[in-house]
């Protein structure tokens, strides 16, 4: 559940960086495509079952919850399925980037949020 909540939370953070209902819908579809295009265990975790329920919180509170969850998800994978770490990192970062670009390009707030997601995933490349 941690892997799924962290991944969806990362997309939600990016989506919140560009407010509005229509952008949120487009960003959600873009992220869903990234999740659907994943493979292996990551695909199974992110595309089966119900989406996680993210508590309604302000942006700072959500960020304080999601970024540590991303770090924890990577730790879990390193311990239990190390061969899936890159797949998870690539999928979540790809979903965040697709969400950011879904509504007329990436704005400064989205870029900053994607950078935070990238760092939390341990992807500084």
């Amino acid at each position: 559940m941690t892997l799924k909540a962290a991944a969806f939370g990362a997309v939600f953070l990016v989506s919140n960086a560009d407010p509005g209902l229509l952008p949120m819908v487009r960003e959600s579809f873009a992220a869903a495509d990234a999740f659907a295009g994943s493979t292996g265990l990551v695909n199974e975790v992110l595309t089966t079952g119900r989406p996680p329920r993210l508590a309604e919180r302000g942006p700072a509170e959500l960020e304080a919850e999601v970024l540590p969850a991303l770090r924890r998800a990577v730790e879990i994978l390193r311990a239990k399925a190390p061969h899936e770490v890159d797949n998870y990192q690539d999928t979540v970062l790809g979903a965040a980037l697709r969400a950011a670009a879904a509504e007329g390009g990436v704005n400064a707030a989205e870029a900053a949020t994607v950078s935070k997601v990238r760092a939390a995933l341990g992807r500084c490349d």
Side-chain angles (χ1 to χ4, degrees):
M1 199 58 185
T2 300
L3 276 69
K4 192 172 198 173
F8 278 73
V11 171
F12 194 60
L13 280 177
V14 172
S15 185
N16 278 343
D18 185 15
L21 182 60
L22 187 56
M24 183 183 68
V25 171
R26 287 186 179 143
E27 292 159 353
S28 295
F29 278 111
D33 283 345
F35 291 160
S38 63
T39 60
L41 175 68
V42 172
N43 179 273
E44 183 178 332
V45 167
L46 298 180
T47 62
T48 61
R50 294 179 139 170
R53 297 194 94 186
L54 299 170
E56 290 188 29
R57 299 173 187 211
E61 294 164 311
L62 184 63
E63 185 176 297
E65 180 180 330
V66 170
L67 298 179
L70 286 168
R71 288 189 283 277
R72 180 70 184 129
V74 172
E75 290 171 4
I76 290 168
L77 286 170
R78 283 193 205 288
K80 297 187 178 215
H83 59 282
E84 290 286 345
V85 172
D86 287 340
N87 186 14
Y88 183 80
Q89 291 169 320
D90 291 345
T91 298
V92 174
L93 185 55
L97 288 167
R98 282 181 155 183
E103 184 66 25
V106 181
N107 67 35
E110 290 168 325
T113 303
V114 169
S115 290
K116 291 176 186 180
V117 168
R118 182 187 311 273
L121 288 167
R123 295 303 288 262
C124 296
D125 46 17

